[in-house]
Amino acid sequence: MTAVQSQLDALNFDNKFVRELPEDPKSTNKRRQVYKSCFSRVRPVECSAPKFIAHAKEVSEMLDLGEEILDKAAFAGVFSGKDQLPGMDSFAMCYGGHQFGNWAGQLGDGRAINLGEVVNKAGQRWTLQLKGAGPTPYSRMGDGFAVLRSSIREFLCSEAMYHLGVPTTRALSLVETGDPVMRDMFYDGRAKNEPGAVVCRVAPSFVRFGSFQIFGARNEHEELKALADYTIKTDFPQLGEPSEAVYAKWFEEICVKTAELVIHWMRVGFVHGVLNTDNMSILGLTIDYGPYGWLDNYDAMWTPNTTDKSNRRYRYGAQPEIALWNLVQLATALTPLAKKGVFESGLEAYGEAFNSGWKTMMAQKLGFKNFDEQTDDHILKELQSILQIVETDMTIFFRKLADFNVFDESMTTTDQLLAPLLEAYYIETELSGENRNRIANWLRIYKFRGAQDGGTVEERRERMNRVNPKYVLRNYLAQEAIELAEKGDYSRIHKLLEIMRKPYEEQSKNEEFAKKRPDWARDKPGCSTLSCSS
Ligand code: AMP
Ligand code: MG
């Protein structure tokens, strides 16, 4: 036996989802409606020339594969979907969803194929899922494939989010397939071939709100109950045996986890871009990295998704209310499981968890020890304004705020107050007149409030730097890595992966990756806005 086989042999498959849940009785891999089923068995396409690009060592370790990939060719064969390992039992999941506020019926894994579940030595269960490995019965109009640019974005962002402490699906690997994929990136009739790629995503479960909605919408109550009971027993075992009271408690947990997730997105300036109910994880993970983006300049109205440009349903500032809207849809789908009104407590729990969690998070970003209702409501409200009256880089603003010496009583003039923050501003000339005074006034109040907490400059900085990242996967950074990779140079992918491992640390050699968005990237596709074409 070669070293490679023995390395991949460490994957201990135990495919509980397919073993315990209702399966599509038909086995044809044709686009169709699939009723009364959680999944369809399907094999990935055998691509022609799989090529290893990158892997996340933390994820391979988590799966007991060790840090390094010993035989990259063999690894690429398996994680492109070309080769199967003993114990794999591949399948695509059935789900529905609301897209942009409208019920869209059956969606499902149209280009995701689960390879199976691995139980590691620590007893954790991880589902391995390939994105872009070919069509399934749920592919609708799509081809089942994914292009290199969107796969790089998913691979890097999943891991960047993990290291930022944001709940997320993980990414084991990024592999090129060697096969072209035709995409019309701008939806303007100029379709062209792009390199195809596959990301292997990893999560305890890929079940979505839409996984329950499809059964609710079709009145398939037996299957609804089967999936709910399965999810509770597998992913929420602490809740005990499913019952009406347990369903209510379970939904409450989903609501609280979702609130916590959105608070993290707001903290780091992440905009998901497509918060359809099929893109909401039942575990409160960030899932389905498509036309997502990071705020460079703080703008609550911003969305990266060009498809959503006119309504901006999924803009940064709307994420908290959209998550709640999505939870209401989930509650509606779960209604057949319990008496009317049972799920209301969960929706209330969302409101409470979000409101108190958001305040705590914002207080932490500002370096306050606690949120003080007396003063901080006003401070936060005015902060929302001063961040938007002039173009202000969100990440740099909060990071620099840690250098602002709230204890220095000699710091009183507008120039002195603004000096530590100048780097965060995009357009110098905007920082004048009324704007300048308003920001300085906020800083005066902030300084007074900050000093009340006591302590030292160093303590404050240390506390703030733990929640305010220095490095985020700015849209233009990912785009630069993509353009290099499309020319065959993968080095920037590796470099970004390395930098994003320590987003809260100062990395003196990588200062250039912490700079604000350069002017050339302001309106460039990929750097500012993205289409859903991926
Ligand atoms: P998304 O907005 O990326 O979450 O996708 C919505 C639905 O479209 C999901 O059911 C996806 O599986 C499906 N889908 C997206 N892209 C493709 C594709 N290239 N081929 C097949 N299905 C796709
Ligand atoms: Mg999706």
Side-chain angles (χ1 to χ4, degrees), residues 461-479:
R461 179 184 295 119
E462 204 260 325
R463 206 163 61 222
M464 290 172 78
N465 286 357
R466 264 187 274 143
V467 293
N468 295 321
K470 168 126 181 179
Y471 295 93
V472 295
L473 187 66
R474 291 177 183 270
N475 313 314
Y476 87 91
L477 291 177
Q479 184 62 24

Side-chain angles (χ1 to χ4, degrees), residues 286-307:
T286 314
I287 190 171
D288 278 5
Y289 291 89
Y292 69 81
W294 293 83
L295 292 184
D296 288 307
N297 56 299
Y298 185 93
D299 178 0
M301 292 297 290
W302 187 71
T303 175
N305 185 352
T306 51
T307 316

Side-chain angles (χ1 to χ4, degrees), residues 261-408:
L261 173 67
V262 178
I263 290 165
H264 277 294
W265 290 346
M266 304 311 277
R267 173 174 66 84
V268 297
F270 176 79
V271 189
H272 183 287
V274 201
L275 281 180
N276 292 335
T277 55
D278 57 303
N279 292 339
M280 297 290 293
S281 145
I282 207 71
L283 301 181
L285 308 173
T286 314
I287 190 171
D288 278 5
Y289 291 89
Y292 69 81
W294 293 83
L295 292 184
D296 288 307
N297 56 299
Y298 185 93
D299 178 0
M301 292 297 290
W302 187 71
T303 175
N305 185 352
T306 51
T307 316
D308 193 21
K309 213 161 93 186
S310 47
N311 290 325
R312 296 178 184 265
R313 179 180 171 85
Y314 298 141
R315 62 190 181 274
Y316 172 75
Q319 296 185 118
E321 58 182 280
I322 287 293
L324 176 60
W325 191 92
N326 290 340
L327 285 162
V328 172
Q329 308 316 311
L330 176 61
T332 308
L334 297 178
T335 303
L337 296 178
K339 280 197 293 287
K340 207 169 178 303
V342 159
F343 298 114
E344 268 163 32
S345 62
L347 298 173
E348 277 164 30
Y350 175 85
E352 284 159 25
F354 183 81
N355 288 329
S356 69
W358 185 78
K359 286 175 178 174
T360 304
M361 176 278 284
M362 286 306 296
Q364 287 172 344
K365 279 185 85 68
L366 293 175
F368 303 160
K369 285 188 175 151
N370 298 297
F371 183 84
D372 181 345
E373 298 280 347
Q374 295 285 321
T375 51
D376 299 350
D377 266 328
H378 171 74
I379 289 175
L380 289 184
K381 197 155 174 270
E382 181 61 6
L383 175 65
Q384 296 283 322
S385 301
I386 63 144
L387 286 173
Q388 295 180 91
I389 49 175
V390 298
E391 231 182 315
T392 313
D393 191 88
M394 176 181 177
T395 306
I396 298 176
F397 179 88
F398 283 103
R399 190 75 182 184
K400 287 285 163 191
L401 214 49
D403 293 336
F404 187 90
N405 187 351
V406 294
F407 307 110
D408 182 354

Side-chain angles (χ1 to χ4, degrees), residues 130-349:
L130 302 183
K131 184 167 177 180
T136 76
Y138 310 98
S139 295
R140 301 182 298 149
M141 316 292 282
D143 56 10
F145 298 112
V147 292
L148 180 61
R149 62 182 153 85
S150 61
S151 306
I152 292 172
R153 283 169 48 82
E154 171 132 18
F155 175 77
L156 285 177
C157 200
S158 310
E159 292 306 292
M161 291 286 262
Y162 169 75
H163 293 291
L164 282 164
V166 183
T168 179
T169 60
R170 305 293 302 274
L172 169 65
S173 56
L174 172 62
V175 173
E176 259 196 81
T177 61
D179 296 318
V181 176
M182 179 80 87
R183 286 290 180 271
D184 183 356
M185 185 169 156
F186 300 105
Y187 296 123
D188 63 357
R190 287 186 296 163
K192 61 168 191 162
N193 275 330
E194 296 187 45
V198 174
V199 171
C200 179
R201 316 198 282 194
V202 179
S205 163
F206 286 94
V207 170
R208 300 133 189 275
F209 290 10
S211 310
F212 300 93
Q213 284 185 284
I214 190 74
F215 297 133
R218 288 172 168 171
N219 283 317
E220 295 173 349
H221 295 172
E222 226 176 278
E223 291 74 18
L224 175 68
K225 185 172 180 326
L227 183 61
D229 291 0
Y230 175 89
T231 302
I232 291 169
K233 287 184 197 165
T234 311
D235 301 303
F236 298 79
Q238 71 282 8
L239 297 179
E241 279 300 301
S243 67
E244 204 164 281
V246 168
Y247 293 136
K249 189 82 199 104
W250 170 52
F251 181 65
E252 237 176 82
E253 278 222 17
I254 297 165
C255 289
V256 171
K257 279 179 192 286
T258 303
E260 289 166 356
L261 173 67
V262 178
I263 290 165
H264 277 294
W265 290 346
M266 304 311 277
R267 173 174 66 84
V268 297
F270 176 79
V271 189
H272 183 287
V274 201
L275 281 180
N276 292 335
T277 55
D278 57 303
N279 292 339
M280 297 290 293
S281 145
I282 207 71
L283 301 181
L285 308 173
T286 314
I287 190 171
D288 278 5
Y289 291 89
Y292 69 81
W294 293 83
L295 292 184
D296 288 307
N297 56 299
Y298 185 93
D299 178 0
M301 292 297 290
W302 187 71
T303 175
N305 185 352
T306 51
T307 316
D308 193 21
K309 213 161 93 186
S310 47
N311 290 325
R312 296 178 184 265
R313 179 180 171 85
Y314 298 141
R315 62 190 181 274
Y316 172 75
Q319 296 185 118
E321 58 182 280
I322 287 293
L324 176 60
W325 191 92
N326 290 340
L327 285 162
V328 172
Q329 308 316 311
L330 176 61
T332 308
L334 297 178
T335 303
L337 296 178
K339 280 197 293 287
K340 207 169 178 303
V342 159
F343 298 114
E344 268 163 32
S345 62
L347 298 173
E348 277 164 30

Side-chain angles (χ1 to χ4, degrees), residues 405-467:
N405 187 351
V406 294
F407 307 110
D408 182 354
E409 286 179 6
S410 70
M411 202 163 82
T412 54
T413 68
T414 298
D415 280 349
Q416 285 174 322
L417 290 162
L418 276 167
L421 296 165
L422 288 180
E423 209 181 303
Y425 295 102
Y426 277 90
I427 304 165
E428 249 184 79
T429 51
E430 282 186 346
L431 208 58
S432 61
E434 186 46 36
N435 290 339
R436 188 180 172 82
N437 290 337
R438 197 163 163 194
I439 297 168
N441 280 339
W442 183 85
L443 286 170
R444 277 190 190 95
I445 296 168
Y446 170 70
K447 185 167 173 288
F448 185 76
R449 166 68 180 90
Q452 277 180 342
D453 274 342
T456 65
V457 178
E458 288 70 32
E459 276 166 25
R460 238 176 66 86
R461 179 184 295 119
E462 204 260 325
R463 206 163 61 222
M464 290 172 78
N465 286 357
R466 264 187 274 143
V467 293

Side-chain angles (χ1 to χ4, degrees), residues 152-153 156 474-487 489-493 496 512-513 518 520-521 524-527:
I152 292 172
R153 283 169 48 82
L156 285 177
R474 291 177 183 270
N475 313 314
Y476 87 91
L477 291 177
Q479 184 62 24
E480 285 180 330
I482 288 167
E483 287 172 18
L484 285 168
E486 285 175 343
K487 292 183 204 138
D489 176 359
Y490 303 136
S491 60
R492 189 61 67 81
I493 298 173
L496 288 179
E512 61 180 300
F513 296 92
W520 59 259
K524 187 179 160 163
C527 300

